[in-house]
Amino acid sequence: MKNFLRRVLALGLLASSGLAQAHNVSELAKQRMLDGDYLDFAMVGAEHMLTGYDHLLFLLGVLFFLKSFIDIVKFITAFTLGHTLVLIFATKAGVGANPYLIDAVIALTVIYKAFENLDGFRRWFKFNAPSLLLMVFLFGLIHGFGLSTRLQQMTLAKDPMLVSKVIAFNVGVELGQIAALTVMAAVIRLWRETSAWPLVSRVANTALICAGAALFVQQLQGYAGTREPAIERSKVSIDSAGEKF
């Protein structure tokens, strides 16, 4: 059993090494979004969710201690509502941000949920965690902003069919989410039926924290990389101006 737990933790750390690339937009996906129909948008949406490891890790954290089908539907609906609202309106309005910063915040949501699963608020800060339903909705808004930022990289902002295409993209996201949730719920149920469930849950959520922290650092490094060229261009401009005088 100890070997199994070590593998779970190692898997979390290993997966984190590729998390920073989870939302990279391929040229093929961009072309499909520009030239394709609604089905292409839905397919890219599903693909984006299924390869968006940060979204999947957060959903895994949400599912961890939900036992009843009604609870699962309630919390996933709150998350879906949050990210759908922001995805549609932010994309339509053309509101975006540096994708590395958005993904860094999403990484913090993964850490938050795993920390809460470990009862960190009560154990470390001596108070109960905020309303989970409210936090899942708020985190859905953040995840939706991340989806919108990436979607704006893949499509034309002035497309007259933008809203309907965003909705098609979101349908694909939801289908991908349902597929991922089905697998996650089945695996968690199998874990819960074992006598080692308390230990497995602690190790798995610790792995989620490690993965989220690694993703956070990687995204900040990516953001720093995007700032360096701008700084260099600024120096060149200053030097050029100095030469003129």
Side-chain angles (χ1 to χ4, degrees):
M1 191 63 190
K2 290 183 179 179
N3 289 334
F4 168 75
L5 295 175
R6 290 196 195 100
R7 290 176 182 177
V8 171
L9 183 57
L11 183 60
L13 294 172
L14 180 62
S16 68
S17 65
L19 287 175
Q21 308 301 322
H23 283 301
N24 278 357
V25 181
S26 69
E27 291 301 320
L28 177 60
K30 290 180 181 179
Q31 200 60 44
R32 286 168 61 191
M33 296 289 275
L34 291 172
D35 300 334
D37 54 18
Y38 294 114
L39 180 59
D40 288 295
F41 269 71
M43 291 177 64
V44 172
E47 176 184 312
H48 192 69
M49 172 55 73
L50 291 174
T51 58
Y53 304 129
D54 46 5
H55 296 291
L56 296 179
L57 289 176
F58 177 75
L59 291 174
L60 176 61
V62 171
L63 281 180
F64 232 87
F65 292 112
L66 299 181
K67 297 181 180 180
S68 72
F69 177 75
I70 293 178
D71 282 340
I72 292 175
V73 170
K74 181 172 64 176
F75 282 95
I76 297 305
T77 298
F79 178 76
T80 299
L81 179 61
H83 86 240
T84 299
L85 288 174
V86 174
L87 174 61
I88 294 175
F89 289 109
T91 306
K92 176 61 177 177
V95 178
N98 187 293
Y100 286 108
L101 291 182
I102 297 298
D103 285 348
V105 176
I106 291 175
L108 293 179
T109 69
V110 175
I111 296 173
Y112 175 95
K113 191 65 194 76
F115 182 75
E116 187 205 35
N117 287 346
L118 292 170
D119 200 21
F121 285 94
R122 189 176 60 81
R123 293 170 57 192
W124 288 82
F125 304 121
K126 309 305 179 184
F127 62 81
N128 294 327
S131 168
L132 179 57
L133 191 62
L134 175 61
M135 295 306 296
V136 168
F137 173 75
L138 294 177
F139 290 159
L141 297 177
I142 297 172
H143 284 243
F145 194 39
L147 288 169
S148 174
T149 298
R150 294 301 181 177
L151 180 57
Q152 291 179 56
Q153 294 179 329
M154 292 189 283
T155 188
L156 296 175
K158 296 182 179 180
D159 190 331
M161 304 298 291
L162 179 62
V163 174
S164 57
K165 288 183 176 179
V166 170
I167 292 174
F169 177 83
N170 191 62
V171 169
V173 168
E174 299 310 324
L175 292 175
Q177 181 173 279
I178 291 172
L181 289 172
T182 300
V183 175
M184 290 179 189
V187 172
I188 290 174
R189 177 172 294 182
L190 290 175
W191 274 356
R192 190 178 287 119
E193 292 176 354
T194 68
S195 59
W197 166 246
L199 183 57
V200 170
S201 65
R202 288 198 297 272
V203 173
N205 280 287
T206 299
L208 283 179
I209 290 177
C210 292
L215 173 59
F216 179 74
V217 172
Q218 289 171 338
Q219 296 300 339
L220 290 184
Q221 289 176 339
Y223 174 70
T226 64
R227 298 288 295 172
E228 289 175 2
I231 295 174
E232 291 299 324
R233 287 195 297 270
S234 177
K235 289 181 179 179
V236 170
S237 299
I238 293 173
D239 291 342
S240 299
E243 291 175 0
K244 292 181 181 180
F245 292 99

